[in-house]
Amino acid sequence: MAERHLRFAIIGAGMAGILSAIKLTESGLTDFTVYEKGDRVGGTWRENSYPGLSCDVPSQLYCFSFAPNPDWTHPYSPGLEIQQYFERVAESYGVADRARFNDEVVRCEWLDSRWHLTTHDGHTDVVDVVISATGVLHHPKWPDIAGLDSFEGRVFHSARWDHDAVLDDARVGIVGSGSTGVQIIAAIHERVAHLASFQRTPQWVMPMSNEAFVPQQLEAHRDLDYLRATHSKLGELFGRFTNAVIDAASPESHMIGEMCRSNLEANVTDPALRERLRPDYQAACKRLIISENYYQAMQHPNVELVTDEIANVESNGVRTADGVLHELDVLVLATGFHADWFMRPMQIVGTHGVTLDEAWAQRPLAYLSMTLPDFPNFFMLNGPNGPVGNFSLISVAELQFAYIEQLIARLRAGDALEIAPDRATTEQFEATRVEAAQRTVWMTGCTSWYLDDRGVPATWPWPWDRFLDVMAAPQWSAYNLTEL
Ligand code: NAP
């Protein structure tokens, strides 16, 4: 049978969208458009530009396996370098030429076995396959704090950094002490007149040196074989780390706890401050913080740790429950993201008029985080319940794409007009996932963005090796294939 021509829409030009465009082109599937609401590629690395932004996955692992980068300047890359890396890769593979920027897809409807897309500007497209590469942590969570609107200084979310806000010699408040808040505090505390860190829950911190690479190291990175070997060695290491988070009772998990505890004991000298910074839950229950200088920053004379609950915001500062008004010029909300929104608010209508909002009325559900019953030929990268430990989402997306390519191959070969996972299989997979999640560190008694409304972590709860095995080839019995 002649090969079937397929048209694709890739939604999102972040890491996973760039990957999809490159991989489709390499397979000779060149009839596609990349839709991007922003003005450039880069996704999360375009949207986040706060001071201190860097990645907590090692640089040599946080890049495409097929595009190693000899130019990383640090073991953990600064955000701007990562953004520039993605721009460079996208440019060299011609991805930007295939993208429609500044126009958001607002609707995707399955009609007559094809997806009908409409953008914000009214542009329409009809495609056989949608690849949703819309990212995970990209809907900023604006906290529900009384009086926020009345603040007369500058107030903004960390993912919408206001570069006109003056930090030098200013009184700055930072709400939140997750990965983002910690990076900002470590980066700006010396520049400001006073920094108030509003901490609701302390975090465990893993110390990791991030000294810039020296010339000999940079020279060694020119050898691409060396870089590839480093990529795979780091992959193995992170695979082991994944085992630590999926088994809260494992020796690896215990070892991480000990490293964090000794970091706290050794590096915070004032016993009272140390206790206020000490979490009462197991290390890595919340996403582990990687920082070599957070504790030093918290002991700097410019910095004040505020642990009294925020009562409200007033025109000139934040008032805490003890009645104290913390006067501020700038208020940064490092308060995280709506991790369960994914491609919403895009309206997605599947077979028989079922909408994504109906399908996900309780919570996001997907088969292997990539496909959805009732939404045929709709493939997600880094979809619901996708993160594998603290593994690089790039490695996860590459493996997912290789799996999705096998689904696409059936469409391309004309074996099927439509592919969607079987509902019972999807529900069975979810039940097994929830059962396995009970042993993970994320369920040992803390709150975090990993947890869904039931308190179940929205992650892959099995070892990395199992992820590799499952991604190797689809189990075709899990899918309904509608013939041409
Ligand atoms: P987050 O981990 O969700 O942390 C949000 C922080 O804001 C928490 O400390 C939270 O306190 C606090 N918060 C939220 N609402 C609040 C309120 N109303 N009053 C007081 N405090 C409030 O968000 P994030 O720091 O942006 O990080 C999200 C994820 O992004 C990370 O876990 C990581 O996966 C990723 N990230 C990675 C890097 C990197 O290095 N690659 C950098 C930044 C972010 P509670 O803990 O009490 O809820």
Side-chain angles (χ1 to χ4, degrees):
M1 187 189 287
E3 192 173 276
R4 190 174 152 216
H5 177 86
L6 296 173
R7 174 156 174 76
F8 294 79
I10 298 169
I11 306 183
M15 171 277 290
I18 296 169
L19 169 74
S20 306
I22 293 171
K23 291 293 171 188
L24 282 184
T25 307
E26 282 178 353
S27 321
L29 295 163
T30 53
D31 187 6
F32 65 82
T33 297
V34 182
Y35 288 92
E36 170 53 56
K37 66 179 176 351
D39 63 353
R40 283 170 300 146
V41 302
T44 194
W45 302 105
R46 182 198 63 231
E47 291 193 355
N48 283 277
S49 59
Y50 59 78
L53 171 67
S54 73
C55 186
D56 60 6
V57 174
S59 310
Q60 313 298 0
L61 187 59
Y62 199 79
C63 54
F64 293 124
S65 59
F66 55 85
N69 179 19
D71 298 323
W72 298 125
T73 59
H74 288 73
Y76 295 88
S77 299
L80 182 60
E81 268 183 42
I82 300 174
Q83 172 63 17
Q84 288 166 344
Y85 166 80
F86 283 127
E87 286 181 9
R88 234 175 18 249
V89 173
E91 174 74 28
S92 67
Y93 284 87
V95 175
D97 302 337
R98 311 298 309 276
R100 188 182 167 89
F101 291 108
N102 297 308
D103 196 10
E104 189 171 359
V105 176
V106 291
R107 188 174 170 84
C108 249
E109 184 168 9
W110 181 252
L111 290 171
D112 304 327
S113 299
R114 299 191 86 197
W115 285 104
H116 294 242
L117 275 61
T118 311
T119 69
H120 178 267
D121 288 352
H123 171 83
T124 57
D125 196 353
V126 182
V127 302
D128 301 287
V129 177
V130 169
I131 296 180
S132 176
T134 54
V136 188
L137 298 172
H138 64 113
H139 293 288
K141 194 187 263 179
W142 193 259
D144 188 13
I145 300 175
L148 255 184
D149 291 349
S150 66
F151 185 60
E152 287 176 0
R154 299 268 186 166
V155 55
F156 48 91
H157 190 276
S158 55
R160 299 286 180 271
W161 194 266
D162 177 352
H163 289 278
D164 292 331
V166 177
L167 302 179
D168 295 313
D169 303 321
R171 297 163 303 174
V172 179
I174 299 183
V175 183
S177 39
S179 305
T180 303
V182 163
Q183 289 184 345
I184 297 170
I185 292 166
I188 70 168
H189 67 280
E190 287 175 332
R191 298 167 56 183
V192 300
H194 182 75
L195 190 155
S197 166
F198 296 96
Q199 171 194 281
R200 191 163 64 180
T201 315
Q203 291 266 10
W204 286 114
V205 180
M206 175 80 99
M208 284 287 183
S209 161
N210 198 21
E211 290 285 314
F213 289 128
V214 296
Q216 292 94 310
Q217 288 171 305
L218 292 171
E219 190 52 39
H221 297 166
R222 297 272 138 217
D223 176 352
L224 291 191
D225 287 337
Y226 170 81
L227 277 192
R228 283 189 200 102
T230 310
H231 187 281
S232 86
K233 244 189 272 165
L234 287 167
E236 280 170 33
L237 192 75
F238 262 67
R240 288 213 295 278
F241 181 77
T242 297
N243 295 344
V245 286
I246 57 161
D247 180 0
S250 64
E252 292 93 339
S253 194
H254 180 71
M255 191 179 77
I256 288 169
E258 282 310 306
M259 287 169 81
C260 293
R261 231 181 314 283
S262 45
N263 184 31
L264 177 68
E265 305 295 349
N267 290 310
V268 181
T269 48
D270 172 8
L273 179 66
R274 195 188 305 141
E275 292 321 302
R276 295 170 72 211
L277 288 169
R278 188 190 299 276
D280 63 359
Y281 53 84
Q282 188 168 338
C285 181
K286 283 176 180 288
R287 169 90 174 201
L288 205 56
I289 306 288
I290 308 288
S291 178
E292 60 177 345
N293 53 359
Y294 170 62
Y295 287 147
Q296 284 78 356
M298 292 308 294
Q299 294 167 94
H300 192 276
N302 286 353
V303 179
E304 177 191 8
L305 174 65
V306 182
T307 49
D308 287 288
E309 198 184 333
I310 295 174
N312 62 290
V313 174
E314 299 180 9
S315 60
N316 53 348
V318 170
R319 193 173 294 279
T320 39
D322 56 356
V324 173
L325 176 67
H326 302 265
E327 292 192 37
L328 300 170
D329 306 304
V330 177
L331 180 57
V332 179
L333 307 171
T335 44
F337 299 87
H338 294 281
D340 59 346
W341 285 14
F342 295 98
M343 54 273 203
R344 294 181 273 194
M346 188 167 39
Q347 279 185 305
I348 306 178
V349 186
T351 50
H352 315 298
V354 176
T355 66
L356 186 75
D357 284 341
E358 286 163 353
W360 284 2
Q362 272 188 303
R363 69 190 68 88
L365 172 77
Y367 178 60
L368 298 178
S369 102
M370 292 177 289
T371 54
L372 304 161
D374 298 323
F375 297 82
N377 303 359
F378 190 100
F379 306 134
M380 296 174 286
L381 291 169
N382 288 315
N385 313 320
V388 185
N390 282 31
F391 220 90
S392 159
L393 286 188
I394 303 182
S395 310
V396 171
E398 284 192 27
L399 288 159
Q400 289 178 333
F401 195 88
Y403 179 104
I404 288 169
E405 259 183 326
Q406 298 176 66
L407 304 182
I408 293 170
R410 300 292 296 267
L411 300 173
R412 194 179 186 186
D415 291 351
L417 178 66
E418 304 176 8
I419 296 183
D422 175 63
R423 173 167 299 286
T425 307
T426 303
E427 284 167 4
Q428 179 57 43
F429 166 73
E430 176 63 1
T432 318
R433 193 188 69 77
V434 169
E435 205 272 318
Q438 312 300 316
R439 291 183 284 280
T440 65
V441 74
W442 302 296
M443 285 192 76
T444 51
C446 69
T447 58
S448 77
W449 64 263
Y450 284 118
L451 301 180
D452 68 16
D453 58 304
R454 300 166 292 184
V456 174
T459 59
W460 176 266
W462 298 289
W464 174 248
D465 287 349
R466 176 158 168 180
F467 184 69
L468 290 174
D469 284 349
V470 173
M471 287 304 106
Q475 266 193 351
W476 292 106
S477 58
Y479 290 94
N480 294 320
L481 275 61
T482 310
E483 292 190 3
L484 275 173

